[in-house]
Amino acid sequence: VEETYIMVKPDGVQRGLVGEIISRFEKKGFRLTGLKLFQCPKELAEEHYKDLKTKSFFPKLINYITSGPVVCMAWEGVGAVASARKLIGSTNPLQAEPGTIRGDLAVQTGRNVVHGSDSPENGKREIALWFKEGELCQWTAVQAPWLRE
Ligand code: GTP
Ligand code: MG
């Protein structure tokens, strides 16, 4: 089972899209193992996006992610990382397919409402970065036998 770190970015919170975004992952059949509203400090945003440090948009990206509270989530499921990326859609919302979160709910790369881990390794890394151990919760979903044969 794979874990992925999903985050509603500050624009998603401000635009009232938290419920809509959580709902899409819930309905897909992933299992929620962590959830919190959180004001991200600059240092954490920089660590999270450290691979993009050399990009010209990096300072803007850090300002964006720290501009208001985010909703941090850990989701688990078979193939959850790639599947979540598909549900989220392309980085540029204008190129994201209709039916995806960004395709349906956003118009600009710099305000693309949601983050999703890009590999199982980064899923683990990001969940460890954004959550303390006691904040995560393992539980048995009663719907499990109705999701997989
Ligand atoms: P995340 O799920 O947030 O990691 O997005 P991604 O994996 O689709 O894209 P990537 O990791 O390459 O970039 C991370 C984030 O940086 C994007 O989601 C955007 O919010 C932002 N970003 C990427 N490219 C640009 C850009 O050219 N301009 C601006 N302003 N922001 C960008
Ligand atoms: Mg990324």
Side-chain angles (χ1 to χ4, degrees), residues 5 7 38 40-54 58-59 61-63 65-66 115 118 121-122 124-131:
Y5 176 66
M7 178 169 72
F38 182 63
C40 174
K42 191 165 181 267
E43 297 69 35
L44 178 57
E46 287 171 348
E47 178 62 24
H48 174 78
Y49 281 124
K50 67 180 177 189
D51 291 350
L52 301 174
K53 214 161 215 165
T54 58
F58 188 74
L61 174 58
I62 300 307
N63 277 338
I65 295 301
T66 58
H115 161 81
D118 60 9
E121 298 69 44
N122 275 333
K124 278 193 174 26
R125 176 183 84 89
E126 291 168 5
I127 288 169
L129 192 61
W130 289 85
F131 287 99

Side-chain angles (χ1 to χ4, degrees), residues 144-149:
W146 302 102
L147 281 166
R148 276 186 290 276
E149 63 180 9

Side-chain angles (χ1 to χ4, degrees), residues 34-93:
L35 174 69
K36 66 178 175 185
L37 183 72
F38 182 63
Q39 174 60 56
C40 174
K42 191 165 181 267
E43 297 69 35
L44 178 57
E46 287 171 348
E47 178 62 24
H48 174 78
Y49 281 124
K50 67 180 177 189
D51 291 350
L52 301 174
K53 214 161 215 165
T54 58
K55 303 283 185 189
S56 59
F57 60 81
F58 188 74
K60 277 206 307 191
L61 174 58
I62 300 307
N63 277 338
Y64 167 40
I65 295 301
T66 58
S67 64
V70 294
V71 172
C72 311
M73 292 179 272
W75 289 94
E76 268 188 24
V78 176
V81 170
S83 179
R85 296 273 294 182
K86 279 200 162 180
L87 292 182
I88 289 170
S90 303
T91 307
N92 181 344

Side-chain angles (χ1 to χ4, degrees), residues 128-141:
L129 192 61
W130 289 85
F131 287 99
K132 296 171 196 153
E133 200 152 305
E135 291 176 333
L136 297 168
C137 188
Q138 292 300 330
W139 55 288
T140 304

